[in-house]
Amino acid sequence: MIASVLKLDRKAMKVLQITDLYSIHKTIYSLFPGNKREFLFYDQGGDIRSRSILILSKVPPLLAAAGEVTSKRIPDEFLEEHTYAFRVQLNPIVRLAGSRKAKPVVGKYMG
């Protein structure tokens, strides 16, 4: 596995047109072309001056059109531990039957 950090300064965010969560999503996906999604990412947030995004992937990401990508290989034995501490951010949605429109899940969802 490969751990990467995408660091974006103000200029890079302007070039990549980072304005919302979806634009971050598109930027990360552009680093891994093809139909396979073999990566996870976590936006650590930021402000108008900078932003940092952590990425875990099976293959190294491509260079971003702007910003800086730093990657390091994770030794196999690191992933053999029994417990880990981590943060997770989910963006759950539901699609109504027969509709392509996604609706965000807010609060409890009892499908």
Side-chain angles (χ1 to χ4, degrees):
M1 296 298 283
I2 298 167
S4 304
V5 178
L6 172 59
K7 292 188 179 192
L8 303 172
D9 60 14
R10 188 176 187 158
K11 182 180 176 183
M13 287 190 284
K14 186 174 182 176
V15 168
L16 297 170
Q17 299 176 353
I18 302 291
T19 57
D20 57 13
L21 294 175
Y22 183 67
S23 57
I24 292 169
H25 175 89
K26 286 191 331 186
T27 297
I28 300 302
Y29 270 71
S30 74
L31 302 177
F32 300 94
N35 293 330
K36 284 187 172 182
R37 180 173 188 243
E38 296 181 332
F39 61 90
L40 299 170
F41 70 93
Y42 176 73
D43 176 16
Q44 290 189 295
D47 55 28
I48 194 167
R49 292 169 292 180
S50 67
R51 171 170 238 109
S52 211
I53 301 165
L54 305 178
I55 305 167
L56 180 65
S57 59
K58 289 186 176 183
V59 297
L62 299 176
L63 293 177
E68 178 185 342
V69 177
T70 306
S71 299
K72 290 185 180 180
R73 185 162 299 279
I74 299 173
D76 292 337
E77 54 273 7
F78 177 81
L79 298 173
E80 294 173 359
E81 296 297 327
H82 294 310
T83 58
Y84 297 91
F86 59 91
R87 291 182 187 176
V88 64
Q89 179 179 354
L90 303 176
N91 185 15
I93 62 164
V94 63
R95 291 191 193 278
L96 302 174
S99 172
R100 291 183 47 110
K101 189 171 183 179
K103 180 179 173 186
V105 174
V106 179
K108 269 188 180 176
Y109 176 71
M110 304 301 279

